[in-house]
Amino acid sequence: MDKIKIIGGNPLFGKIYISGAKNAALPIICASLLTDEPVTIKNLPFLSDIKSLNALLLQLGTQIEEKQEDYNGHLTNSITYHTPKPTSLIAPYDYVRKMRASYYVLGPLLAKYGHVELSLPGGCAIGARPMDIHLSSLEQMGAKIEIKNGYVVADIDGRLRGARVSFHSASVGATCNILMAAALAEGTTIIENAAKEPEIADLINLLTDMGAVIEGINTSTLTIHGVEKLHGATHYIVNDRIEAGSYAVAAAMTKGRLELINADADFLQTPLDILRKTGVKVETTPNSIIVDAQNAVLQGQDIYTDYYPGFPTDLQAQFMALMCIASGAAMVTESIWENRFMHVPELMRMGANINVHGHASAIVRGVEKLSAAPVMSTDLRASFALILAGLVAEGETIVNRVYHLDRGYEHLEEKFKAVGANIERIKEPD
Ligand code: UD1
């Protein structure tokens, strides 16, 4: 297991290119299963989560052709997915265990081939992560669903039927799965209380290019008029707002100035407002965000995570790291996941002053300085928070178990090194 070593104290200056969004790429790759024609996806990030999903699709019989392309001087990945005839309709435990978002094969395989067996993903470090909305919506669309030996076994006679489904939570995963299933259903499906994250709009854009008929993009009511067949398309993945938000915090904490290229400020309005209130200068252009904290006196701000356009839960840990060195107190409330404060004990080992109240809130009282320590990554975003703490801590921080970071941050050390961080990966034999 690799480790990352950081010597804190360097302010970060320069430009960072923001990659394609992992959370848009995962459902979009699975949408390629809705057609027997090739689907080419550009601007894919080089991440272990994408590799894990590719391994599952290969196992289903998808042909995958990968090539690297220059986009504005930045090397990106372009992959063509072609599934003329699947060789399996089973998503086995070993694949789903590695990558929960493997559940995005459920809607497409069921809608196109009438049968799917998906290992139930179960919970993960940040919470229970149920799938009840995905399954009950498919049942309302005519699917017969059983849970057998840890697998969801789903069947339909003929085609799925359009239905009006109302989600009890605005789930990103369920919105994507039901959008994909409804695209090939007979009749019209209406999703009420759909999630509105920009990654969903990206999926809708691809599905529309494939021939789907969808109304209500960027709203919480989506209407999908099912069609009999979808065709191939080429799609460019939207930029990763969570990666951009994470590096914005790095500029703020190190009192540097970073220009985040290929970032869309519209997707980050709530977190950027918080950064401004913290005392950081934030300027935006149509495709970049400039975060300047050179003269900032950081002031703690409360954070409440919520569905988009609220504050993203996937930036909670990074902003908590920022509040650790801001003056005053900041109340951080996590409303989406029940166990998303695992970074707290690790930040406290570095000298942070945090009090957790129950499962949902924490009071962070800013300290003058953090001090380096060996710490442990617990999940993807928590790991980035520890890197941030290491960048401003006195001394040498070692972040263990960095495979979490490789799931979601492309070329992390290279991006940080290029803007002046003292960071390196220590490779350990497997
Ligand atoms: C996605 C993101 C994840 C992010 C989360 C919330 C991907 C691959 N992952 O996860 O990074 O933290 O959105 O923005 O895009 N829920 C149910 N029943 C369900 C489904 C969800 O009760 O059937 C609840 C969950 O417990 C949670 C809330 O709905 O409290 C949001 O979950 P959801 O949006 O589905 O998260 P994911 O799609 O798994």
Side-chain angles (χ1 to χ4, degrees):
M1 283 188 204
D2 294 355
K3 299 171 179 178
I4 285 184
K5 181 173 102 179
I6 308 156
I7 298 173
N10 294 1
L12 305 183
F13 286 99
K15 293 182 183 184
I16 292 182
Y17 189 91
I18 300 304
S19 305
K22 166 178 89 72
N23 288 353
L26 298 171
I28 280 174
I29 290 171
C30 295
S32 72
L33 295 167
L34 288 162
T35 173
D36 43 26
E37 296 179 15
V39 175
T40 298
I41 306 170
K42 294 175 179 280
N43 196 35
L44 281 167
F46 296 93
L47 294 173
S48 63
D49 266 9
I50 306 281
K51 279 194 197 152
S52 302
L53 188 57
N54 284 351
L56 172 60
L57 263 71
L58 278 173
Q59 195 272 152
L60 298 175
T62 304
Q63 298 154 17
I64 295 183
E65 214 182 288
E66 198 163 339
K67 71 173 189 234
Q68 300 189 349
E69 282 179 350
D70 185 89
Y71 186 77
N72 287 345
H74 180 78
L75 201 62
T76 63
N77 207 6
S78 165
I79 305 186
T80 300
Y81 296 86
H82 187 197
T83 316
K85 193 169 188 298
T87 50
S88 162
L89 296 174
I90 303 173
Y93 176 67
D94 271 348
Y95 293 87
V96 183
R97 175 179 64 85
K98 278 202 196 118
M99 230 268 305
R100 295 191 85 265
S102 304
Y103 65 38
Y104 283 134
V105 303
L106 178 65
L109 289 181
L110 184 61
K112 179 134 176 78
Y113 300 103
H115 177 81
V116 55
E117 294 175 37
L118 168 81
S119 170
L120 265 174
C124 74
I126 61 174
R129 308 194 83 161
M131 278 194 76
D132 57 302
I133 305 175
H134 307 234
L135 302 184
S136 65
S137 304
L138 290 171
E139 278 178 333
Q140 288 173 67
M141 295 170 75
K144 288 189 190 63
I145 297 183
E146 274 187 289
I147 308 293
K148 264 196 227 157
N149 307 113
Y151 277 72
V152 175
V153 181
D155 285 285
I156 43 168
D157 264 344
R159 285 167 72 190
L160 283 165
R161 290 189 306 273
R164 178 182 283 267
V165 293
S166 186
F167 291 177
H168 65 72
S169 305
S171 158
V172 173
T175 304
C176 293
N177 242 334
I178 301 311
L179 266 170
M180 294 189 280
L184 282 182
E186 197 175 343
T188 297
T189 300
I190 297 172
I191 307 177
E192 289 170 346
N193 196 25
K196 291 185 289 196
E197 272 69 359
E199 295 75 26
I200 288 165
D202 207 29
L203 172 65
I204 292 177
N205 286 333
L206 166 74
L207 291 171
T208 306
D209 288 347
M210 291 170 74
V213 183
I214 301 170
E215 294 162 24
I217 188 165
N218 293 321
T219 74
S220 54
T221 304
L222 297 171
T223 304
I224 306 109
H225 304 286
V227 295
E228 268 187 38
K229 206 170 166 6
L230 294 171
H231 51 75
T234 296
H235 183 78
Y236 185 88
I237 295 281
V238 71
N239 62 70
D240 194 324
R241 66 194 163 101
I242 304 299
E243 189 196 24
S246 303
Y247 285 112
V249 179
M253 286 180 72
T254 64
K255 304 270 176 87
R257 181 183 186 280
L258 288 180
E259 202 173 330
L260 308 172
I261 313 288
N262 193 36
D264 193 331
D266 286 348
F267 299 158
L268 280 166
Q269 284 185 13
T270 310
L272 292 182
D273 280 351
I274 299 230
L275 263 191
R276 289 189 182 101
K277 284 188 193 149
T278 309
V280 177
K281 227 163 94 188
V282 181
E283 284 169 22
T284 64
T285 76
N287 86 330
S288 73
I289 303 172
I290 301 143
V291 183
D292 186 349
Q294 290 172 92
N295 302 309
V297 179
L298 300 173
Q299 187 67 44
Q301 297 299 320
D302 293 351
I303 290 163
Y304 181 89
T305 68
D306 209 346
Y307 300 106
Y308 187 85
F311 189 94
T313 171
D314 288 351
L315 284 175
Q316 180 255 106
Q318 301 87 317
F319 272 71
M320 185 186 275
L322 168 64
M323 298 314 162
C324 288
I325 56 158
S327 19
M331 162 100 118
V332 179
T333 308
E334 172 59 54
S335 84
I336 306 290
W337 300 114
E338 62 268 31
N339 190 26
R340 209 168 196 184
F341 283 142
M342 283 167 304
H343 39 285
V344 168
E346 300 300 309
L347 289 170
M348 287 174 73
R349 298 188 63 249
M350 299 178 74
N353 180 351
I354 307 170
N355 263 311
V356 176
H357 297 262
H359 289 297
S361 16
I363 291 279
V364 185
R365 293 186 173 86
V367 295
E368 288 249 316
K369 273 206 175 321
L370 295 173
S371 59
V375 285
M376 189 73 81
S377 288
T378 49
D379 68 75
L380 169 58
R381 308 303 171 185
S383 310
F384 199 96
L386 298 177
I387 300 273
L388 291 169
L391 287 170
V392 295
E394 251 172 7
E396 179 183 298
T397 294
I398 301 282
V399 181
N400 291 287
R401 289 202 187 153
V402 296
Y403 59 84
H404 290 293
L405 285 166
D406 297 332
R407 288 188 39 226
Y409 288 97
E410 182 185 48
H411 305 320
L412 176 105
E413 310 93 88
E414 290 84 345
K415 288 188 182 187
F416 267 131
K417 262 190 203 155
V419 293
N422 190 337
I423 183 167
E424 79 180 274
R425 180 177 292 247
I426 305 168
K427 289 248 174 224
E428 298 272 312
D430 286 337

